Structure formats: C-alpha cells, structure tokens
Amino acid sequence: MKKTKKDTAASKKVAAAKSRKRTPVKRSPKVLAPGEEIRLSLRTHNQFTGYDPRLLREEGPSRPIEGIILSIREIASGQLVPLASSDFGRYVLEVLHNRSFDPSCASAENAPSGATGDRPQAAPLWEKVRSTLRAMTKERRLVSLTDGSLSSSPLATMLDGWRIVKVRADQIEVPE
C-alpha cells in the first residue's frame, strides 16, 4: 500500500527549480592545438603588466585578449607538445595576439585594406596563419618564440611582426 504524501509549498518550489532550463556554462575546450582560436577573460588580461588600454590609445573599456595558439609547452619537461589535454594547468601557451592583424595596431602587410572597426579575424592573413600552424603541427614541426624557431618558420615570411602573449592554458576561454 502506497502512502500518498501531500505536496508542500517547499517541495513544489524544489520541483519547479529542477524543471527550469539552465543556461549552459562556458567550458574550456577538451583539447588544445596550435592554430586554434582562443580568448583570455578580461580579469585575466588585467594581470599582464603593461596591458593598460589607456597606453594603447583605446577608447572605452578594454577588449579581451584573443588570438591564435602559436605553441604549447609542457611546464614539467619544458618541451613543445602538439596537443594539450586534460589538466591544462600543466601547459603554457604562446598566443599570437589578434592585434597582430588589427589595422589600427599592425602593419599594412599584416592587416591589408581593413577598416579600423573590422575584427582582426576578418583579415585574410588570419586564416592563412591558422591553416599553416595546423599543417606544421600535423608534420610535427612545432615553432615557438622562446627557442627562436618562429623566425625560421614559414610564418616569418607571412607576418611583418608579432605580438605574442604567454599564458597558462587553464586561463583561457572558448570564443563565441
């Protein structure tokens, strides 16, 4: 024999809360590789000394750091790796900052004929650099600014100059 339990106001509230759809939480990617687009949150980029938007002549609030993963280095061994997975706290990324492709910050070679208000990701060179990095990673030709291999890579002929930020892999977000 089943007992019939009277619904109380508290149990109705709990049932209503459980039935509500929750907004999905931004999650970090499960695997990172050179050539992928990433973003650092605003609170993270404030930890970089010298990254003051007033010094960069920006108007309004500063923008988050976005860019392309240039290299992934394992902290324990110091070796460059083609992929980072699971515990991102074990890796340091070199990120090719999107300002390298921004017409207001970069050379005409890096950001040709782009309007100042356009996103740097719209520059034709942006996708070319990403695909070159992916192809080099597949061939296990990993490059880094730290060991000097970037200047002898095919990327050296593509870009006039670079703005590279080093950051721990666990501080990144997936771009929208």
Side-chain angles (χ1 to χ4, degrees), residues 32-38 67-73 80-83 92-97 100-101 129-130 132-134 136-137 141-151 153-156 159 162-167:
L32 295 174
E36 288 188 29
E37 186 178 341
I38 57 109
I68 302 170
I69 297 175
L70 179 66
S71 70
I72 303 170
R73 187 173 299 275
L80 292 175
V81 293
L83 293 173
V92 173
L93 305 177
E94 286 183 343
V95 178
L96 183 59
H97 199 300
S100 299
F101 306 93
V129 167
R130 288 185 69 196
T132 302
L133 275 169
R134 287 185 197 129
M136 290 173 61
T137 302
R141 292 185 345 194
L142 305 174
V143 296
S144 172
L145 179 67
T146 306
D147 63 6
S149 59
L150 180 61
S151 59
S153 73
L155 296 174
L159 297 173
W162 308 285
R163 183 180 182 120
I164 296 176
V165 177
K166 290 184 184 181
V167 64

mmCIF file of all heavy atoms in Angstrom, residues 32-38 67-73 80-83 92-97 100-101 129-130 132-134 136-137 141-151 153-156 159 162-167:
data_model
loop_
_atom_site.group_PDB
_atom_site.id
_atom_site.type_symbol
_atom_site.label_atom_id
_atom_site.label_comp_id
_atom_site.label_asym_id
_atom_site.label_seq_id
_atom_site.Cartn_x
_atom_site.Cartn_y
_atom_site.Cartn_z
ATOM 1 N N LEU A 32 43.564 21.263 -26.831
ATOM 2 C CA LEU A 32 44.088 22.471 -27.467
ATOM 3 C C LEU A 32 45.204 22.088 -28.424
ATOM 4 O O LEU A 32 45.978 21.182 -28.139
ATOM 5 C CB LEU A 32 44.657 23.426 -26.421
ATOM 6 C CG LEU A 32 43.694 24.013 -25.421
ATOM 7 C CD1 LEU A 32 44.458 24.806 -24.372
ATOM 8 C CD2 LEU A 32 42.701 24.908 -26.118
ATOM 9 N N ALA A 33 45.292 22.803 -29.539
ATOM 10 C CA ALA A 33 46.347 22.559 -30.515
ATOM 11 C C ALA A 33 46.759 23.892 -31.134
ATOM 12 O O ALA A 33 45.965 24.829 -31.184
ATOM 13 C CB ALA A 33 45.859 21.604 -31.598
ATOM 14 N N PRO A 34 47.994 23.991 -31.622
ATOM 15 C CA PRO A 34 48.394 25.215 -32.324
ATOM 16 C C PRO A 34 47.483 25.482 -33.515
ATOM 17 O O PRO A 34 47.052 24.571 -34.208
ATOM 18 C CB PRO A 34 49.823 24.906 -32.781
ATOM 19 C CG PRO A 34 50.319 23.920 -31.774
ATOM 20 C CD PRO A 34 49.119 23.075 -31.444
ATOM 21 N N GLY A 35 47.168 26.739 -33.709
ATOM 22 C CA GLY A 35 46.280 27.132 -34.788
ATOM 23 C C GLY A 35 44.855 27.374 -34.341
ATOM 24 O O GLY A 35 44.056 27.922 -35.094
ATOM 25 N N GLU A 36 44.518 26.994 -33.113
ATOM 26 C CA GLU A 36 43.159 27.214 -32.615
ATOM 27 C C GLU A 36 43.009 28.636 -32.089
ATOM 28 O O GLU A 36 43.946 29.221 -31.559
ATOM 29 C CB GLU A 36 42.834 26.227 -31.499
ATOM 30 C CG GLU A 36 42.647 24.821 -32.000
ATOM 31 C CD GLU A 36 42.140 23.903 -30.908
ATOM 32 O OE1 GLU A 36 41.441 24.381 -29.997
ATOM 33 O OE2 GLU A 36 42.463 22.717 -30.973
ATOM 34 N N GLU A 37 41.795 29.156 -32.225
ATOM 35 C CA GLU A 37 41.487 30.500 -31.746
ATOM 36 C C GLU A 37 41.049 30.409 -30.287
ATOM 37 O O GLU A 37 40.228 29.566 -29.925
ATOM 38 C CB GLU A 37 40.364 31.088 -32.592
ATOM 39 C CG GLU A 37 40.049 32.513 -32.291
ATOM 40 C CD GLU A 37 38.969 33.064 -33.200
ATOM 41 O OE1 GLU A 37 38.705 32.488 -34.267
ATOM 42 O OE2 GLU A 37 38.374 34.084 -32.808
ATOM 43 N N ILE A 38 41.595 31.293 -29.445
ATOM 44 C CA ILE A 38 41.243 31.294 -28.022
ATOM 45 C C ILE A 38 41.061 32.728 -27.545
ATOM 46 O O ILE A 38 41.371 33.678 -28.243
ATOM 47 C CB ILE A 38 42.315 30.570 -27.163
ATOM 48 C CG1 ILE A 38 43.707 31.199 -27.356
ATOM 49 C CG2 ILE A 38 42.374 29.116 -27.475
ATOM 50 C CD1 ILE A 38 44.144 31.943 -26.188
ATOM 51 N N GLY A 67 43.288 35.486 -29.765
ATOM 52 C CA GLY A 67 44.392 35.177 -30.645
ATOM 53 C C GLY A 67 44.416 33.733 -31.084
ATOM 54 O O GLY A 67 43.466 32.973 -30.887
ATOM 55 N N ILE A 68 45.531 33.375 -31.690
ATOM 56 C CA ILE A 68 45.759 32.037 -32.222
ATOM 57 C C ILE A 68 46.845 31.380 -31.387
ATOM 58 O O ILE A 68 47.878 32.004 -31.096
ATOM 59 C CB ILE A 68 46.226 32.117 -33.691
ATOM 60 C CG1 ILE A 68 45.197 32.851 -34.546
ATOM 61 C CG2 ILE A 68 46.506 30.733 -34.243
ATOM 62 C CD1 ILE A 68 45.692 33.175 -35.948
ATOM 63 N N ILE A 69 46.644 30.126 -31.018
ATOM 64 C CA ILE A 69 47.674 29.414 -30.269
ATOM 65 C C ILE A 69 48.862 29.189 -31.198
ATOM 66 O O ILE A 69 48.734 28.560 -32.247
ATOM 67 C CB ILE A 69 47.152 28.065 -29.736
ATOM 68 C CG1 ILE A 69 46.019 28.284 -28.744
ATOM 69 C CG2 ILE A 69 48.295 27.282 -29.079
ATOM 70 C CD1 ILE A 69 45.376 27.008 -28.254
ATOM 71 N N LEU A 70 50.017 29.710 -30.802
ATOM 72 C CA LEU A 70 51.232 29.551 -31.573
ATOM 73 C C LEU A 70 51.985 28.303 -31.128
ATOM 74 O O LEU A 70 52.450 27.525 -31.950
ATOM 75 C CB LEU A 70 52.119 30.793 -31.409
ATOM 76 C CG LEU A 70 53.445 30.792 -32.132
ATOM 77 C CD1 LEU A 70 53.214 30.816 -33.638
ATOM 78 C CD2 LEU A 70 54.272 31.983 -31.713
ATOM 79 N N SER A 71 52.104 28.127 -29.821
ATOM 80 C CA SER A 71 52.812 26.948 -29.314
ATOM 81 C C SER A 71 52.248 26.538 -27.964
ATOM 82 O O SER A 71 51.644 27.337 -27.255
ATOM 83 C CB SER A 71 54.307 27.228 -29.186
ATOM 84 O OG SER A 71 54.542 28.127 -28.138
ATOM 85 N N ILE A 72 52.474 25.283 -27.637
ATOM 86 C CA ILE A 72 52.071 24.722 -26.346
ATOM 87 C C ILE A 72 53.313 24.090 -25.731
ATOM 88 O O ILE A 72 53.965 23.253 -26.369
ATOM 89 C CB ILE A 72 50.970 23.658 -26.511
ATOM 90 C CG1 ILE A 72 49.763 24.255 -27.234
ATOM 91 C CG2 ILE A 72 50.578 23.073 -25.162
ATOM 92 C CD1 ILE A 72 48.735 23.221 -27.659
ATOM 93 N N ARG A 73 53.643 24.503 -24.532
ATOM 94 C CA ARG A 73 54.826 23.970 -23.853
ATOM 95 C C ARG A 73 54.399 23.314 -22.545
ATOM 96 O O ARG A 73 53.643 23.892 -21.781
ATOM 97 C CB ARG A 73 55.824 25.096 -23.574
ATOM 98 C CG ARG A 73 57.138 24.628 -23.029
ATOM 99 C CD ARG A 73 58.130 25.767 -22.932
ATOM 100 N NE ARG A 73 58.434 26.384 -24.193
ATOM 101 C CZ ARG A 73 59.352 25.943 -25.057
ATOM 102 N NH1 ARG A 73 60.037 24.872 -24.770
ATOM 103 N NH2 ARG A 73 59.581 26.595 -26.182
ATOM 104 N N LEU A 80 58.040 21.388 -26.240
ATOM 105 C CA LEU A 80 56.879 21.759 -27.029
ATOM 106 C C LEU A 80 56.077 20.508 -27.318
ATOM 107 O O LEU A 80 56.643 19.450 -27.602
ATOM 108 C CB LEU A 80 57.311 22.392 -28.351
ATOM 109 C CG LEU A 80 57.976 23.756 -28.264
ATOM 110 C CD1 LEU A 80 58.464 24.188 -29.632
ATOM 111 C CD2 LEU A 80 57.019 24.785 -27.719
ATOM 112 N N VAL A 81 54.753 20.619 -27.222
ATOM 113 C CA VAL A 81 53.876 19.478 -27.489
ATOM 114 C C VAL A 81 52.832 19.889 -28.528
ATOM 115 O O VAL A 81 52.450 21.058 -28.611
ATOM 116 C CB VAL A 81 53.188 18.979 -26.194
ATOM 117 C CG1 VAL A 81 54.203 18.375 -25.239
ATOM 118 C CG2 VAL A 81 52.423 20.077 -25.501
ATOM 119 N N PRO A 82 52.362 18.925 -29.338
ATOM 120 C CA PRO A 82 51.377 19.265 -30.367
ATOM 121 C C PRO A 82 49.958 19.414 -29.840
ATOM 122 O O PRO A 82 49.140 20.066 -30.475
ATOM 123 C CB PRO A 82 51.479 18.098 -31.351
ATOM 124 C CG PRO A 82 52.016 16.972 -30.554
ATOM 125 C CD PRO A 82 52.867 17.575 -29.488
ATOM 126 N N LEU A 83 49.659 18.817 -28.698
ATOM 127 C CA LEU A 83 48.307 18.880 -28.129
ATOM 128 C C LEU A 83 48.385 19.053 -26.623
ATOM 129 O O LEU A 83 49.292 18.534 -25.981
ATOM 130 C CB LEU A 83 47.524 17.598 -28.416
ATOM 131 C CG LEU A 83 47.162 17.297 -29.857
ATOM 132 C CD1 LEU A 83 46.544 15.911 -29.952
ATOM 133 C CD2 LEU A 83 46.204 18.317 -30.403
ATOM 134 N N VAL A 92 51.812 25.869 -20.806
ATOM 135 C CA VAL A 92 51.910 27.299 -21.071
ATOM 136 C C VAL A 92 51.725 27.484 -22.572
ATOM 137 O O VAL A 92 52.281 26.744 -23.372
ATOM 138 C CB VAL A 92 53.290 27.855 -20.648
ATOM 139 C CG1 VAL A 92 53.452 29.291 -21.089
ATOM 140 C CG2 VAL A 92 53.462 27.750 -19.159
ATOM 141 N N LEU A 93 50.911 28.460 -22.929
ATOM 142 C CA LEU A 93 50.639 28.739 -24.339
ATOM 143 C C LEU A 93 51.330 30.025 -24.762
ATOM 144 O O LEU A 93 51.412 30.971 -23.982
ATOM 145 C CB LEU A 93 49.136 28.923 -24.575
ATOM 146 C CG LEU A 93 48.194 27.822 -24.131
ATOM 147 C CD1 LEU A 93 46.760 28.246 -24.393
ATOM 148 C CD2 LEU A 93 48.507 26.538 -24.854
ATOM 149 N N GLU A 94 51.799 30.048 -25.989
ATOM 150 C CA GLU A 94 52.192 31.296 -26.624
ATOM 151 C C GLU A 94 51.067 31.618 -27.591
ATOM 152 O O GLU A 94 50.733 30.818 -28.461
ATOM 153 C CB GLU A 94 53.509 31.148 -27.379
ATOM 154 C CG GLU A 94 54.709 31.074 -26.475
ATOM 155 C CD GLU A 94 56.007 30.989 -27.252
ATOM 156 O OE1 GLU A 94 56.003 30.666 -28.449
ATOM 157 O OE2 GLU A 94 57.036 31.246 -26.622
ATOM 158 N N VAL A 95 50.452 32.768 -27.400
ATOM 159 C CA VAL A 95 49.290 33.163 -28.175
ATOM 160 C C VAL A 95 49.669 34.320 -29.083
ATOM 161 O O VAL A 95 50.170 35.340 -28.607
ATOM 162 C CB VAL A 95 48.123 33.574 -27.251
ATOM 163 C CG1 VAL A 95 46.924 34.034 -28.059
ATOM 164 C CG2 VAL A 95 47.745 32.422 -26.327
ATOM 165 N N LEU A 96 49.435 34.149 -30.374
ATOM 166 C CA LEU A 96 49.638 35.217 -31.342
ATOM 167 C C LEU A 96 48.433 36.144 -31.232
ATOM 168 O O LEU A 96 47.327 35.793 -31.617
ATOM 169 C CB LEU A 96 49.768 34.637 -32.750
ATOM 170 C CG LEU A 96 50.044 35.591 -33.877
ATOM 171 C CD1 LEU A 96 51.348 36.342 -33.639
ATOM 172 C CD2 LEU A 96 50.118 34.827 -35.182
ATOM 173 N N HIS A 97 48.652 37.294 -30.642
ATOM 174 C CA HIS A 97 47.586 38.241 -30.307
ATOM 175 C C HIS A 97 46.888 38.720 -31.576
ATOM 176 O O HIS A 97 47.528 38.954 -32.600
ATOM 177 C CB HIS A 97 48.205 39.423 -29.569
ATOM 178 C CG HIS A 97 47.247 40.244 -28.787
ATOM 179 N ND1 HIS A 97 46.182 40.902 -29.358
ATOM 180 C CD2 HIS A 97 47.209 40.550 -27.475
ATOM 181 C CE1 HIS A 97 45.530 41.575 -28.427
ATOM 182 N NE2 HIS A 97 46.139 41.373 -27.279
ATOM 183 N N SER A 100 48.019 41.626 -33.874
ATOM 184 C CA SER A 100 48.986 41.474 -34.955
ATOM 185 C C SER A 100 48.301 41.616 -36.308
ATOM 186 O O SER A 100 48.967 41.800 -37.323
ATOM 187 C CB SER A 100 49.662 40.100 -34.873
ATOM 188 O OG SER A 100 50.356 39.962 -33.664
ATOM 189 N N PHE A 101 46.961 41.492 -36.345
ATOM 190 C CA PHE A 101 46.188 41.569 -37.575
ATOM 191 C C PHE A 101 45.224 42.759 -37.576
ATOM 192 O O PHE A 101 44.439 42.902 -38.490
ATOM 193 C CB PHE A 101 45.372 40.280 -37.763
ATOM 194 C CG PHE A 101 46.205 39.044 -37.698
ATOM 195 C CD1 PHE A 101 46.375 38.363 -36.512
ATOM 196 C CD2 PHE A 101 46.832 38.565 -38.831
ATOM 197 C CE1 PHE A 101 47.143 37.221 -36.454
ATOM 198 C CE2 PHE A 101 47.610 37.422 -38.783
ATOM 199 C CZ PHE A 101 47.768 36.747 -37.585
ATOM 200 N N VAL A 129 47.392 32.035 -41.523
ATOM 201 C CA VAL A 129 48.294 31.707 -40.414
ATOM 202 C C VAL A 129 47.758 30.497 -39.648
ATOM 203 O O VAL A 129 48.520 29.590 -39.305
ATOM 204 C CB VAL A 129 48.474 32.929 -39.474
ATOM 205 C CG1 VAL A 129 49.136 32.531 -38.174
ATOM 206 C CG2 VAL A 129 49.263 34.012 -40.168
ATOM 207 N N ARG A 130 46.458 30.460 -39.399
ATOM 208 C CA ARG A 130 45.866 29.324 -38.687
ATOM 209 C C ARG A 130 46.076 28.020 -39.441
ATOM 210 O O ARG A 130 46.463 27.007 -38.862
ATOM 211 C CB ARG A 130 44.368 29.549 -38.465
ATOM 212 C CG ARG A 130 44.068 30.599 -37.416
ATOM 213 C CD ARG A 130 42.600 30.704 -37.135
ATOM 214 N NE ARG A 130 42.164 29.498 -36.452
ATOM 215 C CZ ARG A 130 40.908 29.129 -36.320
ATOM 216 N NH1 ARG A 130 39.950 29.882 -36.818
ATOM 217 N NH2 ARG A 130 40.582 28.030 -35.692
ATOM 218 N N THR A 132 48.342 27.329 -41.706
ATOM 219 C CA THR A 132 49.771 26.997 -41.736
ATOM 220 C C THR A 132 50.205 26.373 -40.413
ATOM 221 O O THR A 132 50.953 25.390 -40.407
ATOM 222 C CB THR A 132 50.613 28.260 -42.026
ATOM 223 O OG1 THR A 132 50.187 28.819 -43.260
ATOM 224 C CG2 THR A 132 52.088 27.939 -42.084
ATOM 225 N N LEU A 133 49.748 26.928 -39.303
ATOM 226 C CA LEU A 133 50.087 26.354 -37.995
ATOM 227 C C LEU A 133 49.537 24.933 -37.848
ATOM 228 O O LEU A 133 50.216 24.049 -37.328
ATOM 229 C CB LEU A 133 49.544 27.233 -36.870
ATOM 230 C CG LEU A 133 50.434 28.390 -36.454
ATOM 231 C CD1 LEU A 133 49.688 29.338 -35.543
ATOM 232 C CD2 LEU A 133 51.683 27.871 -35.767
ATOM 233 N N ARG A 134 48.315 24.713 -38.314
ATOM 234 C CA ARG A 134 47.738 23.364 -38.241
ATOM 235 C C ARG A 134 48.552 22.376 -39.082
ATOM 236 O O ARG A 134 48.816 21.257 -38.648
ATOM 237 C CB ARG A 134 46.297 23.383 -38.720
ATOM 238 C CG ARG A 134 45.346 24.028 -37.758
ATOM 239 C CD ARG A 134 43.928 23.883 -38.265
ATOM 240 N NE ARG A 134 43.066 24.814 -37.603
ATOM 241 C CZ ARG A 134 42.236 25.644 -38.212
ATOM 242 N NH1 ARG A 134 42.125 25.659 -39.517
ATOM 243 N NH2 ARG A 134 41.497 26.471 -37.521
ATOM 244 N N MET A 136 51.712 22.613 -39.985
ATOM 245 C CA MET A 136 53.013 22.394 -39.357
ATOM 246 C C MET A 136 52.896 21.464 -38.159
ATOM 247 O O MET A 136 53.778 20.635 -37.923
ATOM 248 C CB MET A 136 53.616 23.737 -38.939
ATOM 249 C CG MET A 136 54.061 24.586 -40.109
ATOM 250 S SD MET A 136 54.580 26.243 -39.634
ATOM 251 C CE MET A 136 55.934 25.899 -38.543
ATOM 252 N N THR A 137 51.802 21.560 -37.422
ATOM 253 C CA THR A 137 51.593 20.684 -36.266
ATOM 254 C C THR A 137 51.397 19.243 -36.711
ATOM 255 O O THR A 137 51.910 18.321 -36.074
ATOM 256 C CB THR A 137 50.382 21.171 -35.441
ATOM 257 O OG1 THR A 137 50.623 22.516 -35.037
ATOM 258 C CG2 THR A 137 50.172 20.306 -34.219
ATOM 259 N N ARG A 141 56.248 19.833 -36.836
ATOM 260 C CA ARG A 141 57.195 20.944 -36.877
ATOM 261 C C ARG A 141 56.629 22.031 -35.971
ATOM 262 O O ARG A 141 55.885 22.897 -36.413
ATOM 263 C CB ARG A 141 57.371 21.471 -38.296
ATOM 264 C CG ARG A 141 58.049 20.524 -39.210
ATOM 265 C CD ARG A 141 58.321 21.127 -40.564
ATOM 266 N NE ARG A 141 57.563 22.355 -40.810
ATOM 267 C CZ ARG A 141 57.425 22.927 -41.984
ATOM 268 N NH1 ARG A 141 57.966 22.398 -43.024
ATOM 269 N NH2 ARG A 141 56.727 24.035 -42.122
ATOM 270 N N LEU A 142 56.968 21.965 -34.708
ATOM 271 C CA LEU A 142 56.433 22.897 -33.717
ATOM 272 C C LEU A 142 57.345 24.109 -33.612
ATOM 273 O O LEU A 142 58.570 23.978 -33.600
ATOM 274 C CB LEU A 142 56.311 22.196 -32.373
ATOM 275 C CG LEU A 142 55.485 20.902 -32.386
ATOM 276 C CD1 LEU A 142 55.551 20.211 -31.044
ATOM 277 C CD2 LEU A 142 54.061 21.180 -32.780
ATOM 278 N N VAL A 143 56.750 25.295 -33.572
ATOM 279 C CA VAL A 143 57.522 26.532 -33.508
ATOM 280 C C VAL A 143 57.206 27.279 -32.218
ATOM 281 O O VAL A 143 56.133 27.123 -31.644
ATOM 282 C CB VAL A 143 57.236 27.445 -34.719
ATOM 283 C CG1 VAL A 143 57.678 26.789 -35.999
ATOM 284 C CG2 VAL A 143 55.788 27.838 -34.791
ATOM 285 N N SER A 144 58.171 28.088 -31.811
ATOM 286 C CA SER A 144 57.997 28.874 -30.595
ATOM 287 C C SER A 144 58.864 30.123 -30.686
ATOM 288 O O SER A 144 59.928 30.104 -31.315
ATOM 289 C CB SER A 144 58.413 28.047 -29.381
ATOM 290 O OG SER A 144 58.425 28.841 -28.221
ATOM 291 N N LEU A 145 58.412 31.189 -30.070
ATOM 292 C CA LEU A 145 59.210 32.400 -30.000
ATOM 293 C C LEU A 145 60.384 32.191 -29.047
ATOM 294 O O LEU A 145 61.481 32.682 -29.283
ATOM 295 C CB LEU A 145 58.342 33.568 -29.511
ATOM 296 C CG LEU A 145 59.028 34.909 -29.361
ATOM 297 C CD1 LEU A 145 59.434 35.442 -30.729
ATOM 298 C CD2 LEU A 145 58.121 35.892 -28.668
ATOM 299 N N THR A 146 60.177 31.403 -28.007
ATOM 300 C CA THR A 146 61.180 31.205 -26.972
ATOM 301 C C THR A 146 62.450 30.563 -27.508
ATOM 302 O O THR A 146 63.545 30.997 -27.192
ATOM 303 C CB THR A 146 60.606 30.333 -25.835
ATOM 304 O OG1 THR A 146 59.403 30.933 -25.372
ATOM 305 C CG2 THR A 146 61.574 30.208 -24.692
ATOM 306 N N ASP A 147 62.312 29.518 -28.323
ATOM 307 C CA ASP A 147 63.511 28.826 -28.812
ATOM 308 C C ASP A 147 64.008 29.366 -30.151
ATOM 309 O O ASP A 147 64.965 28.852 -30.716
ATOM 310 C CB ASP A 147 63.285 27.319 -28.896
ATOM 311 C CG ASP A 147 62.207 26.928 -29.888
ATOM 312 O OD1 ASP A 147 61.693 27.788 -30.613
ATOM 313 O OD2 ASP A 147 61.874 25.722 -29.937
ATOM 314 N N GLY A 148 63.370 30.393 -30.688
ATOM 315 C CA GLY A 148 63.829 31.021 -31.916
ATOM 316 C C GLY A 148 63.393 30.342 -33.195
ATOM 317 O O GLY A 148 63.739 30.788 -34.289
ATOM 318 N N SER A 149 62.626 29.274 -33.094
ATOM 319 C CA SER A 149 62.208 28.552 -34.298
ATOM 320 C C SER A 149 61.147 29.307 -35.091
ATOM 321 O O SER A 149 60.940 29.016 -36.263
ATOM 322 C CB SER A 149 61.697 27.158 -33.927
ATOM 323 O OG SER A 149 60.612 27.251 -33.025
ATOM 324 N N LEU A 150 60.507 30.280 -34.495
ATOM 325 C CA LEU A 150 59.492 31.061 -35.199
ATOM 326 C C LEU A 150 60.103 31.879 -36.337
ATOM 327 O O LEU A 150 59.531 31.983 -37.420
ATOM 328 C CB LEU A 150 58.758 31.981 -34.223
ATOM 329 C CG LEU A 150 57.660 32.860 -34.798
ATOM 330 C CD1 LEU A 150 56.553 32.016 -35.408
ATOM 331 C CD2 LEU A 150 57.083 33.757 -33.731
ATOM 332 N N SER A 151 61.286 32.417 -36.116
ATOM 333 C CA SER A 151 61.907 33.266 -37.140
ATOM 334 C C SER A 151 62.378 32.471 -38.350
ATOM 335 O O SER A 151 62.566 33.047 -39.424
ATOM 336 C CB SER A 151 63.064 34.057 -36.544
ATOM 337 O OG SER A 151 64.026 33.168 -36.026
ATOM 338 N N SER A 153 60.617 29.784 -39.485
ATOM 339 C CA SER A 153 59.446 29.038 -39.950
ATOM 340 C C SER A 153 58.787 29.763 -41.125
ATOM 341 O O SER A 153 59.094 30.922 -41.398
ATOM 342 C CB SER A 153 58.438 28.883 -38.807
ATOM 343 O OG SER A 153 57.809 30.111 -38.554
ATOM 344 N N PRO A 154 57.849 29.112 -41.817
ATOM 345 C CA PRO A 154 57.111 29.782 -42.894
ATOM 346 C C PRO A 154 56.303 30.983 -42.404
ATOM 347 O O PRO A 154 55.972 31.864 -43.188
ATOM 348 C CB PRO A 154 56.177 28.694 -43.429
ATOM 349 C CG PRO A 154 56.760 27.417 -42.997
ATOM 350 C CD PRO A 154 57.524 27.694 -41.752
ATOM 351 N N LEU A 155 56.006 31.039 -41.121
ATOM 352 C CA LEU A 155 55.253 32.175 -40.578
ATOM 353 C C LEU A 155 56.062 33.464 -40.630
ATOM 354 O O LEU A 155 55.501 34.555 -40.700
ATOM 355 C CB LEU A 155 54.835 31.894 -39.137
ATOM 356 C CG LEU A 155 53.876 30.739 -38.916
ATOM 357 C CD1 LEU A 155 53.681 30.496 -37.427
ATOM 358 C CD2 LEU A 155 52.553 31.025 -39.574
ATOM 359 N N ALA A 156 57.380 33.352 -40.614
ATOM 360 C CA ALA A 156 58.233 34.537 -40.619
ATOM 361 C C ALA A 156 58.074 35.338 -41.909
ATOM 362 O O ALA A 156 58.176 36.564 -41.895
ATOM 363 C CB ALA A 156 59.691 34.130 -40.432
ATOM 364 N N LEU A 159 54.224 37.192 -41.765
ATOM 365 C CA LEU A 159 53.939 38.294 -40.853
ATOM 366 C C LEU A 159 55.094 39.283 -40.785
ATOM 367 O O LEU A 159 56.258 38.897 -40.784
ATOM 368 C CB LEU A 159 53.647 37.754 -39.455
ATOM 369 C CG LEU A 159 52.422 36.863 -39.323
ATOM 370 C CD1 LEU A 159 52.350 36.273 -37.928
ATOM 371 C CD2 LEU A 159 51.169 37.648 -39.616
ATOM 372 N N TRP A 162 55.102 40.439 -34.749
ATOM 373 C CA TRP A 162 54.182 39.671 -33.929
ATOM 374 C C TRP A 162 53.995 40.342 -32.590
ATOM 375 O O TRP A 162 54.892 40.979 -32.066
ATOM 376 C CB TRP A 162 54.722 38.269 -33.663
ATOM 377 C CG TRP A 162 55.119 37.541 -34.877
ATOM 378 C CD1 TRP A 162 54.295 36.970 -35.795
ATOM 379 C CD2 TRP A 162 56.449 37.306 -35.331
ATOM 380 N NE1 TRP A 162 55.023 36.387 -36.788
ATOM 381 C CE2 TRP A 162 56.359 36.586 -36.525
ATOM 382 C CE3 TRP A 162 57.694 37.639 -34.855
ATOM 383 C CZ2 TRP A 162 57.456 36.175 -37.240
ATOM 384 C CZ3 TRP A 162 58.801 37.243 -35.568
ATOM 385 C CH2 TRP A 162 58.670 36.522 -36.741
ATOM 386 N N ARG A 163 52.839 40.122 -32.041
ATOM 387 C CA ARG A 163 52.564 40.483 -30.656
ATOM 388 C C ARG A 163 52.158 39.174 -30.006
ATOM 389 O O ARG A 163 51.087 38.633 -30.297
ATOM 390 C CB ARG A 163 51.454 41.511 -30.572
ATOM 391 C CG ARG A 163 51.200 41.953 -29.164
ATOM 392 C CD ARG A 163 50.086 42.972 -29.124
ATOM 393 N NE ARG A 163 49.917 43.381 -27.757
ATOM 394 C CZ ARG A 163 50.059 44.623 -27.342
ATOM 395 N NH1 ARG A 163 50.368 45.569 -28.191
ATOM 396 N NH2 ARG A 163 49.880 44.924 -26.089
ATOM 397 N N ILE A 164 53.019 38.650 -29.159
ATOM 398 C CA ILE A 164 52.800 37.326 -28.574
ATOM 399 C C ILE A 164 52.671 37.455 -27.063
ATOM 400 O O ILE A 164 53.447 38.160 -26.419
ATOM 401 C CB ILE A 164 53.945 36.368 -28.951
ATOM 402 C CG1 ILE A 164 53.932 36.178 -30.462
ATOM 403 C CG2 ILE A 164 53.812 35.046 -28.225
ATOM 404 C CD1 ILE A 164 55.041 35.354 -31.009
ATOM 405 N N VAL A 165 51.669 36.756 -26.522
ATOM 406 C CA VAL A 165 51.403 36.760 -25.096
ATOM 407 C C VAL A 165 51.563 35.335 -24.591
ATOM 408 O O VAL A 165 51.064 34.396 -25.207
ATOM 409 C CB VAL A 165 49.954 37.240 -24.819
ATOM 410 C CG1 VAL A 165 49.643 37.185 -23.341
ATOM 411 C CG2 VAL A 165 49.747 38.636 -25.355
ATOM 412 N N LYS A 166 52.267 35.165 -23.479
ATOM 413 C CA LYS A 166 52.396 33.851 -22.859
ATOM 414 C C LYS A 166 51.409 33.774 -21.705
ATOM 415 O O LYS A 166 51.302 34.692 -20.902
ATOM 416 C CB LYS A 166 53.805 33.631 -22.329
ATOM 417 C CG LYS A 166 54.823 33.464 -23.411
ATOM 418 C CD LYS A 166 56.167 33.162 -22.830
ATOM 419 C CE LYS A 166 57.186 33.095 -23.923
ATOM 420 N NZ LYS A 166 58.504 32.783 -23.418
ATOM 421 N N VAL A 167 50.704 32.651 -21.632
ATOM 422 C CA VAL A 167 49.676 32.498 -20.602
ATOM 423 C C VAL A 167 49.527 31.017 -20.273
ATOM 424 O O VAL A 167 49.787 30.151 -21.110
ATOM 425 C CB VAL A 167 48.345 33.104 -21.097
ATOM 426 C CG1 VAL A 167 47.807 32.355 -22.292
ATOM 427 C CG2 VAL A 167 47.326 33.165 -20.000
#
